[in-house]
Amino acid sequence: MTPQGARGAPASGEAGDRARSETCAVSDRIVIACSCEGSMPLDAAAIGKGCGGRLETGDQFCGRELPRVRAALASGIPVTVSCTLKAPLFREVAEELGAEDRVAFVNIRETAGWSAQGAAAGPKMAALLAAAAEAMPAPANVSFESQGVALVYGRDEAAIEAGRRLADHLDVTVLLSRPGEVAVRASGEVPVVKGTVRTAKGHLGAFTLTVDDTALPLPSSRRALAFGPSRDGATSTCDIVVDLTGGTPLFPAHELRSGYLRADPGDPAAVERVLFEASHLVGTFDKPRFVDFHADLCAHSRSRITGCTRCLDVCPTGAIAPAGDHVAIDPHVCAGCGSCASVCPTGAAAYALPPADAQMRRLRTLLAAFRQAGGTAPVLLIHDDAHGAPLIDALARFGDGLPADVLPFPLNEVTQVGPELVAAAFAYGAGAVRFLVRARPKHDVAPLLRNAARLETIVQALGYGAPAGGAVVSLIETDDPDALGEALATGPRGTPAPVPSGFMPDGNVRGVLRFAVSELHHAAPHPVDRVALDAGAPFGGLSFDTASCTLCHACVGACPTGALADDPDRPRLTFAESACVQCGLCAATCPEDVIGLVPQLDFAAWAAPRRVLKEEEPFACIACGKAFGTRSTVERIVGRLRDRHWMFAGPAGEQRIKALMMCDTCRVSHVLTEGFDPHAAEENRPRTSEDYIRARQG
């Protein structure tokens, strides 16, 4: 099918080339925009306003106009090319000229030009070209070492046959779980053992399995395999596990576990795929370290009291486990869904592909360029490359393409998105945010749904909602490009910020979040001071029973973010709501049970100085005048002990009362000076049989 909205090619030739060269607002980059042989219109005026460089337009840069690309790459300044289809060709030219680190690529054809609204897509093209110039730092890698030691886990001859076929490539052992009658093979080149896996942990190159009912086959087995005495609790280690039992997987989210391959033994095609993949799992393999973890920011627990468990609750693979006051993330098991980072309130778990601040700088550039080129209230379409990109491609080739106001924003995983990105999108001028996910998601989207609903509540309260109603933050769950097009064409557009923010995100995730939330409020069409949120939200305040608080400051010691703080100079407890992550450690630690959590977004409190929750007059030492403790506490203790306890009765007891009213230094001097006798008040204590016996023996 011919792409919708195609237009004739612009003029070609040397004079035409000169006419099609325009200077954008910033001249430190050459931007090459191609009409792909005239199959899509190029609004050079709109693109030139927002692309962020010197614009060069043409119709066949991969063919007759390739010398123009070569000249741009030889200029020594960065180059952005609006084509990903021919990127290998352009990269080859860049390598010849030593410019491979100065060239970026972006697709404006399927994402913008090939559309029924292609003629109006100039601002979108400008935005995509500008955003492509934002550098994305490469993440660190984690390595797997596999020596090819494989365990084939099955029930019958199918597992033995699979082991036999893998034996030429791997060091194979076959483990049969509760086998029935299994025929004896004439050759025993593949070891066969009986046993059932009780527990399994690990990853490619480092699996450890606990096996019960283990037994070796008897050499005298004749018609069917017979096994000797069995035992429980055997340990097996291997690099690769091939599971052909057809039963319950050994791991949660098993399809994401590196080195664990599972197939239904009744599906020959699936078994073939698994055997082929297993045969190639020998050597060193790398994958990105998806999450950077900072243990010092973790709010999991303090003093054996559990606080935040958000990441533990959402990790699909079991890569996260408690490790004292914080959690630990196994990067080899982590599958990169990013759910932990999307719900982590402190930024302890931060997605690294890319980091939050780099990702949001790209978002800032995208939306600013769209606005500068004449666009308003765009819909931000957040998608991944594995699922979203093919759907967008199919919609462009066989349908109406993306609407002109829809800006695709590709990420490694949609589930990595936290509240900071959505808040920033509306602050930067977006009219709606849509998440494109699979109809049957690879990763659990429940955390994403909760974040979307929470942000929908916030932006609606601030006036960003659609005039006709409907959600402006929502998920599109489909594998059908036509359904995607329909959802984007008919979905509500919200009210954009009258004066969009231009804040530059920088720093860790929590810092970026604070900026984004504050700017979301400042840019809001109808700002309010407070938005009530659901339980579990990462923002909120505290309900506090001031009268019952003793200023023991146990909550200060438990607070992992410094939201609660004491004052070294006087008895005072202060609170900064912008730092509170609602982990609940303060409430769980408080011995007086005076603290409760209030999930909310109080913009006034975020902008205000620290709030004093309780302050008392300090008690002055009766000897030196130094302030220590609180007057109410000292007076309460003295009142409870004076003349009510034998040690604090009479003249000697009054001296002990004075000691309680002194600072640490003076108290020691007073005790030594007075020569307190711990037995001086013995006559006031009832005598027991032990006293008489001790007296006779002494």
Side-chain angles (χ1 to χ4, degrees):
M1 177 182 293
T2 302
Q4 300 286 333
R7 297 291 187 273
S12 59
E14 184 178 349
D17 291 344
R18 286 197 299 269
R20 287 177 275 132
S21 177
E22 300 188 12
T23 301
C24 301
V26 182
S27 59
D28 61 347
R29 175 171 291 272
I30 298 174
V31 178
I32 295 175
C34 184
S35 71
C36 196
E37 298 181 327
S39 63
M40 60 181 179
L42 293 178
D43 184 346
I47 298 173
K49 289 179 182 178
C51 66
R54 191 177 80 234
L55 177 64
E56 298 282 346
T57 61
D59 58 5
Q60 198 187 66
F61 282 105
C62 60
R64 65 175 179 273
E65 294 177 290
L66 184 60
R68 295 177 61 194
V69 179
R70 185 179 292 275
L73 293 171
S75 67
I77 63 176
V79 177
T80 299
V81 180
S82 70
C83 178
T84 53
L85 177 67
K86 293 296 184 179
L89 170 64
F90 298 131
R91 284 197 180 95
E92 183 178 334
V93 174
E95 289 175 4
E96 292 176 5
L97 300 172
E100 60 269 24
D101 59 340
R102 291 188 284 105
V103 61
F105 302 94
V106 63
N107 175 14
I108 66 169
R109 187 178 68 179
E110 283 84 357
T111 57
W114 280 4
S115 167
Q117 300 178 15
K124 184 203 287 195
M125 293 182 182
L128 295 173
L129 288 163
E134 287 290 338
M136 292 290 107
N141 287 331
V142 292
S143 295
F144 299 83
E145 292 285 345
S146 171
Q147 303 298 321
V149 178
L151 179 74
V152 177
Y153 185 41
R155 297 183 182 276
D156 50 28
E157 287 92 345
I160 298 176
E161 175 60 19
R164 187 191 64 79
R165 294 181 56 190
L166 288 173
D168 291 339
H169 309 278
L170 307 172
D171 181 0
V172 180
T173 298
V174 176
L175 178 65
L176 299 180
S177 175
R178 303 182 182 90
E181 187 171 300
V182 178
V184 178
R185 291 183 174 264
S187 175
E189 71 274 15
V190 177
V192 178
V193 183
K194 184 185 77 165
T196 299
V197 176
R198 186 208 310 164
T199 62
K201 61 181 181 180
H203 49 79
L204 175 64
F207 284 107
T208 301
L209 299 90
T210 302
V211 186
D212 289 340
D213 191 32
T214 56
L216 295 172
L218 296 174
S220 59
S221 299
R222 185 173 182 180
R223 166 179 275 176
L225 279 177
F227 295 89
S230 63
R231 68 184 183 92
D232 294 339
T235 299
S236 174
T237 59
C238 58
D239 298 319
I240 306 159
V241 176
V242 178
D243 187 349
L244 300 179
T245 61
T248 303
L250 299 180
F251 299 96
H254 62 89
E255 65 278 1
L256 306 176
R257 182 72 58 138
S258 300
Y260 176 68
L261 309 175
R262 181 172 179 271
D264 182 351
D267 184 347
V271 172
E272 288 297 322
R273 287 192 296 269
V274 161
L275 296 183
F276 178 80
E277 184 175 353
S279 66
H280 288 73
L281 291 180
V282 181
T284 301
F285 303 87
D286 291 331
K287 78 170 184 179
R289 183 182 291 271
F290 296 106
V291 177
D292 282 336
F293 183 70
H294 308 278
D296 57 316
L297 299 177
C298 184
H300 173 58
S301 71
R302 293 295 184 274
S303 301
R304 299 184 180 180
I305 296 176
T306 300
C308 179
T309 61
R310 291 177 174 94
C311 62
L312 293 166
D313 296 338
V314 302
C315 181
T317 63
I320 307 177
D325 282 352
H326 54 82
V327 299
I329 301 179
D330 187 339
H332 294 90
V333 177
C334 173
C337 70
S339 293
C340 58
S342 74
V343 300
C344 180
T346 65
Y351 207 75
L353 197 65
D357 55 350
Q359 174 179 282
M360 284 178 55
R361 284 194 291 272
R362 181 160 59 99
L363 175 65
R364 174 183 181 270
T365 300
L366 179 80
L367 294 174
F370 184 80
R371 185 173 64 254
Q372 186 176 349
T376 57
V379 176
L380 187 70
L381 177 63
I382 300 174
H383 67 89
D384 61 13
D385 280 330
H387 170 253
L391 253 63
I392 293 171
D393 183 271
L395 182 62
R397 292 176 178 274
F398 306 108
D400 288 341
L402 294 178
D405 65 346
V406 173
L407 298 179
F409 192 71
L411 296 174
N412 186 58
E413 293 289 351
V414 176
T415 45
Q416 77 186 72
V417 176
E420 68 282 348
L421 187 136
V422 179
F426 283 96
Y428 288 145
V433 174
R434 307 279 182 246
F435 297 95
L436 175 57
V437 298
R438 292 172 171 83
R440 297 180 62 183
K442 180 175 70 172
H443 300 296
D444 184 12
V445 298
L448 179 62
L449 282 167
R450 286 193 293 270
N451 271 339
R454 196 169 289 145
L455 268 297
E456 174 70 12
T457 298
I458 295 170
V459 298
Q460 289 287 353
L462 295 175
Y464 290 97
V472 293
V473 183
S474 62
L475 274 64
I476 301 175
E477 302 179 65
T478 185
D479 299 332
D480 182 352
D482 291 330
L484 170 62
E486 176 67 17
L488 291 172
T490 61
R493 269 64 171 167
T495 304
V499 181
S501 172
F503 81 96
M504 179 64 76
D506 190 26
N508 60 29
V509 175
R510 187 69 186 185
V512 170
L513 176 62
R514 289 177 184 168
F515 266 119
V517 169
S518 297
E519 292 300 310
L520 177 72
H521 180 251
H522 292 321
H526 304 291
V528 295
D529 283 343
R530 179 182 175 276
V531 180
L533 297 176
D534 59 296
F539 325 106
L542 301 177
S543 62
F544 192 80
D545 184 355
T546 304
S548 300
C549 175
T550 62
L551 285 177
C552 70
H553 292 155
C555 57
V556 174
C559 181
T561 64
L564 287 164
D566 58 3
D567 188 326
D569 298 324
R570 60 186 302 107
R572 180 161 59 183
L573 178 64
T574 62
F575 177 62
E577 188 155 331
S578 62
C580 180
V581 298
Q582 299 283 284
C583 65
L585 280 168
C586 57
T589 303
C590 178
E592 309 297 337
D593 197 24
V594 302
I595 301 176
L597 302 181
V598 182
Q600 63 181 16
L601 195 48
D602 189 332
F603 299 101
W606 278 45
R610 299 186 72 91
R611 176 164 60 98
V612 176
L613 295 179
K614 182 164 184 176
E615 182 175 14
E616 286 195 18
E617 181 184 353
F619 188 88
C621 173
I622 61 174
C624 70
K626 176 183 176 182
F628 77 99
T630 64
R631 177 170 294 277
S632 64
T633 300
V634 174
E635 290 178 349
R636 184 168 59 250
I637 293 172
V638 170
R640 288 181 178 179
L641 294 177
R642 175 176 277 155
D643 296 327
R644 297 187 182 186
H645 190 281
W646 64 267
M647 288 187 67
F648 297 92
E654 191 60 32
Q655 294 301 319
R656 290 185 172 88
I657 289 291
K658 288 182 179 180
L660 297 177
M661 303 167 72
M662 296 178 183
C663 67
D664 293 345
T665 303
C666 295
R667 186 179 304 124
V668 172
S669 299
H670 178 69
V671 168
L672 293 175
T673 301
E674 293 296 325
F676 285 162
D677 181 1
H679 304 290
E682 283 287 303
E683 66 275 7
N684 296 321
R685 183 174 60 84
R687 293 177 67 81
T688 65
S689 299
E690 286 79 4
D691 295 326
Y692 290 106
I693 294 171
R694 190 182 307 113
R696 284 198 298 267
Q697 292 175 346

